[in-house]
Short mmCIF file of all heavy atoms in Angstrom, two decimals:
data_model
loop_
_atom_site.label_atom_id
_atom_site.label_comp_id
_atom_site.label_asym_id
_atom_site.label_seq_id
_atom_site.Cartn_x
_atom_site.Cartn_y
_atom_site.Cartn_z
N PHE A 242 -68.23 17.95 19.77
CA PHE A 242 -69.12 19.01 19.29
C PHE A 242 -70.25 18.46 18.42
O PHE A 242 -71.29 19.09 18.28
CB PHE A 242 -68.32 20.05 18.51
CG PHE A 242 -67.33 20.81 19.33
CD1 PHE A 242 -66.00 20.87 18.97
CD2 PHE A 242 -67.73 21.46 20.49
CE1 PHE A 242 -65.08 21.57 19.73
CE2 PHE A 242 -66.82 22.17 21.27
CZ PHE A 242 -65.48 22.22 20.88
N MET A 243 -70.03 17.29 17.79
CA MET A 243 -71.00 16.78 16.84
C MET A 243 -72.36 16.51 17.49
O MET A 243 -73.41 16.74 16.88
CB MET A 243 -70.48 15.49 16.19
CG MET A 243 -71.36 14.98 15.05
SD MET A 243 -71.49 16.13 13.67
CE MET A 243 -69.95 15.80 12.83
N SER A 244 -72.36 16.04 18.74
CA SER A 244 -73.63 15.77 19.40
C SER A 244 -74.42 17.06 19.63
O SER A 244 -75.65 17.07 19.55
CB SER A 244 -73.41 15.04 20.73
OG SER A 244 -72.51 15.74 21.57
N PHE A 245 -73.72 18.16 19.90
CA PHE A 245 -74.40 19.45 20.06
C PHE A 245 -75.08 19.87 18.75
O PHE A 245 -76.23 20.30 18.73
CB PHE A 245 -73.41 20.54 20.50
CG PHE A 245 -72.99 20.44 21.94
CD1 PHE A 245 -71.85 19.74 22.31
CD2 PHE A 245 -73.73 21.06 22.94
CE1 PHE A 245 -71.45 19.66 23.63
CE2 PHE A 245 -73.34 20.99 24.28
CZ PHE A 245 -72.21 20.27 24.62
N PHE A 246 -74.34 19.72 17.65
CA PHE A 246 -74.90 20.10 16.36
C PHE A 246 -76.01 19.15 15.92
O PHE A 246 -76.97 19.57 15.27
CB PHE A 246 -73.80 20.17 15.30
CG PHE A 246 -73.01 21.44 15.34
CD1 PHE A 246 -71.76 21.48 15.97
CD2 PHE A 246 -73.51 22.60 14.78
CE1 PHE A 246 -71.03 22.65 16.02
CE2 PHE A 246 -72.78 23.79 14.83
CZ PHE A 246 -71.54 23.82 15.45
N ALA A 247 -75.90 17.87 16.28
CA ALA A 247 -76.97 16.92 15.95
C ALA A 247 -78.24 17.30 16.70
O ALA A 247 -79.34 17.31 16.12
CB ALA A 247 -76.53 15.50 16.31
N LYS A 248 -78.12 17.61 17.98
CA LYS A 248 -79.28 18.00 18.78
C LYS A 248 -79.86 19.34 18.29
O LYS A 248 -81.09 19.52 18.26
CB LYS A 248 -78.89 18.11 20.25
CG LYS A 248 -78.76 16.77 20.96
CD LYS A 248 -80.12 16.09 21.04
CE LYS A 248 -80.09 14.86 21.92
NZ LYS A 248 -81.42 14.20 21.97
N ALA A 249 -78.98 20.26 17.92
CA ALA A 249 -79.45 21.55 17.40
C ALA A 249 -80.18 21.34 16.06
O ALA A 249 -81.19 22.01 15.78
CB ALA A 249 -78.27 22.51 17.22
N SER A 250 -79.68 20.43 15.25
CA SER A 250 -80.33 20.13 13.97
C SER A 250 -81.71 19.53 14.19
O SER A 250 -82.65 19.81 13.43
CB SER A 250 -79.47 19.16 13.16
OG SER A 250 -78.23 19.74 12.82
N VAL A 251 -81.85 18.70 15.23
CA VAL A 251 -83.16 18.12 15.54
C VAL A 251 -84.17 19.23 15.81
O VAL A 251 -85.31 19.18 15.32
CB VAL A 251 -83.05 17.15 16.75
CG1 VAL A 251 -84.44 16.78 17.26
CG2 VAL A 251 -82.28 15.90 16.36
N LEU A 252 -83.76 20.23 16.60
CA LEU A 252 -84.66 21.36 16.88
C LEU A 252 -85.08 22.05 15.59
O LEU A 252 -86.26 22.36 15.38
CB LEU A 252 -83.96 22.37 17.79
CG LEU A 252 -83.71 21.97 19.25
CD1 LEU A 252 -83.07 23.14 20.00
CD2 LEU A 252 -85.00 21.55 19.94
N ALA A 253 -84.11 22.29 14.70
CA ALA A 253 -84.40 22.98 13.45
C ALA A 253 -85.32 22.16 12.56
O ALA A 253 -86.25 22.69 11.95
CB ALA A 253 -83.09 23.30 12.73
N LEU A 254 -85.08 20.85 12.48
CA LEU A 254 -85.87 19.99 11.60
C LEU A 254 -87.29 19.81 12.12
O LEU A 254 -88.22 19.61 11.31
CB LEU A 254 -85.18 18.64 11.44
CG LEU A 254 -83.78 18.68 10.80
CD1 LEU A 254 -83.16 17.29 10.76
CD2 LEU A 254 -83.83 19.28 9.40
N LYS A 255 -87.46 19.84 13.42
CA LYS A 255 -88.82 19.76 13.98
C LYS A 255 -89.61 21.03 13.66
O LYS A 255 -90.82 20.97 13.40
CB LYS A 255 -88.74 19.55 15.49
CG LYS A 255 -88.21 18.19 15.91
CD LYS A 255 -89.13 17.05 15.50
CE LYS A 255 -88.64 15.72 16.05
NZ LYS A 255 -89.53 14.60 15.65
N ASP A 256 -88.93 22.17 13.67
CA ASP A 256 -89.61 23.44 13.38
C ASP A 256 -89.79 23.66 11.88
O ASP A 256 -90.74 24.32 11.45
CB ASP A 256 -88.81 24.61 13.97
CG ASP A 256 -89.05 24.78 15.47
OD1 ASP A 256 -89.76 23.93 16.04
OD2 ASP A 256 -88.53 25.74 16.05
N ILE A 257 -88.86 23.13 11.08
CA ILE A 257 -88.91 23.27 9.62
C ILE A 257 -88.98 21.87 9.00
O ILE A 257 -87.97 21.32 8.55
CB ILE A 257 -87.69 24.05 9.08
CG1 ILE A 257 -87.48 25.34 9.85
CG2 ILE A 257 -87.86 24.34 7.59
CD1 ILE A 257 -88.61 26.35 9.71
N PRO A 258 -90.14 21.22 8.98
CA PRO A 258 -90.26 19.83 8.52
C PRO A 258 -89.79 19.62 7.08
O PRO A 258 -89.35 18.52 6.73
CB PRO A 258 -91.76 19.55 8.65
CG PRO A 258 -92.27 20.54 9.64
CD PRO A 258 -91.44 21.76 9.43
N ALA A 259 -89.86 20.64 6.25
CA ALA A 259 -89.44 20.49 4.85
C ALA A 259 -87.96 20.13 4.74
O ALA A 259 -87.55 19.44 3.80
CB ALA A 259 -89.72 21.78 4.07
N ALA A 260 -87.15 20.59 5.70
CA ALA A 260 -85.72 20.29 5.68
C ALA A 260 -85.44 18.84 6.04
O ALA A 260 -84.32 18.35 5.85
CB ALA A 260 -84.96 21.21 6.62
N ASN A 261 -86.47 18.14 6.56
CA ASN A 261 -86.34 16.74 6.95
C ASN A 261 -87.17 15.85 6.02
O ASN A 261 -87.51 14.73 6.37
CB ASN A 261 -86.80 16.56 8.40
CG ASN A 261 -86.35 15.26 9.02
OD1 ASN A 261 -85.21 14.85 8.84
ND2 ASN A 261 -87.25 14.58 9.72
N ALA A 262 -87.51 16.38 4.85
CA ALA A 262 -88.37 15.66 3.91
C ALA A 262 -87.65 15.49 2.57
O ALA A 262 -86.51 15.94 2.40
CB ALA A 262 -89.68 16.43 3.71
N TYR A 263 -88.32 14.84 1.63
CA TYR A 263 -87.75 14.73 0.28
C TYR A 263 -88.88 14.61 -0.74
O TYR A 263 -90.03 14.31 -0.41
CB TYR A 263 -86.81 13.53 0.17
CG TYR A 263 -87.45 12.17 0.27
CD1 TYR A 263 -87.89 11.49 -0.87
CD2 TYR A 263 -87.60 11.54 1.50
CE1 TYR A 263 -88.47 10.23 -0.78
CE2 TYR A 263 -88.17 10.28 1.59
CZ TYR A 263 -88.60 9.63 0.45
OH TYR A 263 -89.17 8.39 0.54
N ILE A 264 -88.53 14.89 -1.98
CA ILE A 264 -89.50 14.83 -3.08
C ILE A 264 -89.43 13.46 -3.75
O ILE A 264 -88.34 12.97 -4.07
CB ILE A 264 -89.21 15.94 -4.12
CG1 ILE A 264 -89.43 17.32 -3.49
CG2 ILE A 264 -90.09 15.77 -5.35
CD1 ILE A 264 -89.07 18.47 -4.43
N GLU A 265 -90.60 12.86 -3.96
CA GLU A 265 -90.69 11.60 -4.69
C GLU A 265 -91.81 11.74 -5.72
O GLU A 265 -92.99 11.75 -5.38
CB GLU A 265 -90.99 10.44 -3.74
CG GLU A 265 -90.94 9.08 -4.42
CD GLU A 265 -91.08 7.95 -3.42
OE1 GLU A 265 -92.18 7.81 -2.85
OE2 GLU A 265 -90.09 7.21 -3.21
#
Side-chain angles (χ1 to χ4, degrees):
F242 295 126
M243 187 62 80
S244 54
F245 285 93
F246 280 100
K248 283 294 189 181
S250 297
V251 168
L252 290 183
L254 298 177
K255 291 295 185 181
D256 280 5
I257 311 295
N261 196 43
Y263 68 91
I264 295 176
E265 187 173 68

